[in-house]
Amino acid sequence: GTGWINKVLPPALVGAVVIVIGLGLSATAVKMSFFQYADPANGLELSRVMIAAITLLSAVAFSSYFKGFAKTIPVLLGIIVGYIVAIFFGMVDFQPIADAAWIGLPTLTYPTFDLGAILIVAPVALVVVVEHIGHLLVINEITGKDFTPMLPQSLLGDGIATALSGAVGGTPSTTYAENIGVMAVTKVYATQLFWYAGAFAFVIGGFIPKFSAAISSIPTPVMGGISLLLFGLIASSGLRLLVESGIDYSHSRNLIIASVVLVIGIGMETGGFTIPVGDYTIPGMALATVIGIILNLVLPRESEGLVLDAPDFTAELAEEAAEA
């Protein structure tokens, strides 16, 4: 069911986590846009900045100033414009596309099981669930409809897809903030489009290596420029969730939860810090979410009043006004 959401995951926590999801990825978008191999040690490259800027501005222009079909696909058109510009800068390598076969089979990798790895990784599923719920709530805000009652089916589909993908060596099929960012930009929410996109990716992307090589040839600064927009939209959606939820920040528990989650999550993600646990690491987004859940469960509900009482300057200002 969904009744536990409000108890374990109040809007103050979910909104903060969504902001962390967006701003936590901001450093990645900046590195992709400005630096070779997304590594600041290589120094700033003006050509990469120009390509990222043109890509970003193109997507914004298509979304803001165009009408009709072009307005619904600004991200795709922005990538195309950035790709063309990158060709003139010599950043597109066509050789892998020429070498790739037209028809091929995907490589399948079957799983092995290790108890130590399972014990460390399995709790992260809770964080993925929280992220999933946060994405669903953002979709509620974007579309103006309440899809919360469909959360059980949504989580079930997420889990089944991830299990099937992992069984053949694929990546987790969890929800992706980038896709929600695209929805926010294009205002296209029709679910049948995802069926079409999934079928296209399965048939074309899975069995035509040349197409995969073409996608892989998109230069990093092009994707960085688009990411600057998409990741920012996610953070803005989290902020919108906090505002429209009417959260009372005169309650210190809300203030504490949001503050701790934002600082730990954004600080660790943008700084590239992780917590080592054996052969694995816990990222800042996961740690911030878990700490936020714990704080929400242990802090008293009746806790009111700001953590730090701000001085009251009303009387002083009134006196100065009278003198003036």
Side-chain angles (χ1 to χ4, degrees), residues 1-64:
T2 58
W4 56 276
I5 295 179
N6 292 331
K7 295 181 180 179
V8 180
L9 304 168
L13 172 57
V14 175
V17 170
V18 174
I19 293 176
V20 169
I21 293 172
L23 295 185
L25 294 169
S26 60
T28 300
V30 171
K31 291 177 183 178
M32 291 171 62
S33 302
F34 295 170
F35 306 105
Q36 186 177 16
Y37 306 119
D39 186 358
N42 294 319
L44 185 69
E45 288 190 11
L46 182 59
S47 59
R48 305 179 73 88
V49 176
M50 292 177 59
I51 293 173
I54 292 173
T55 303
L56 172 61
L57 293 176
S58 298
V60 172
F62 283 118
S63 177
S64 303

Side-chain angles (χ1 to χ4, degrees), residues 229-298:
L229 173 63
L230 298 183
F231 296 159
L233 285 171
I234 298 305
S236 300
S237 298
L239 181 60
R240 176 182 175 183
L241 176 63
L242 291 178
V243 173
E244 295 189 355
S245 297
I247 298 172
D248 185 2
Y249 281 103
S250 67
H251 290 251
S252 60
R253 72 184 317 274
N254 292 333
L255 198 61
I256 291 172
I257 291 173
S259 301
V260 172
V261 169
L262 289 174
V263 172
I264 293 179
I266 297 175
M268 290 185 63
E269 290 291 336
T270 56
F273 306 120
T274 58
I275 304 297
V277 180
D279 295 330
Y280 304 90
T281 58
I282 300 176
M285 192 180 301
L287 181 63
T289 303
V290 172
I291 291 178
I293 292 175
I294 294 174
L295 288 175
N296 176 60
L297 295 176
V298 301

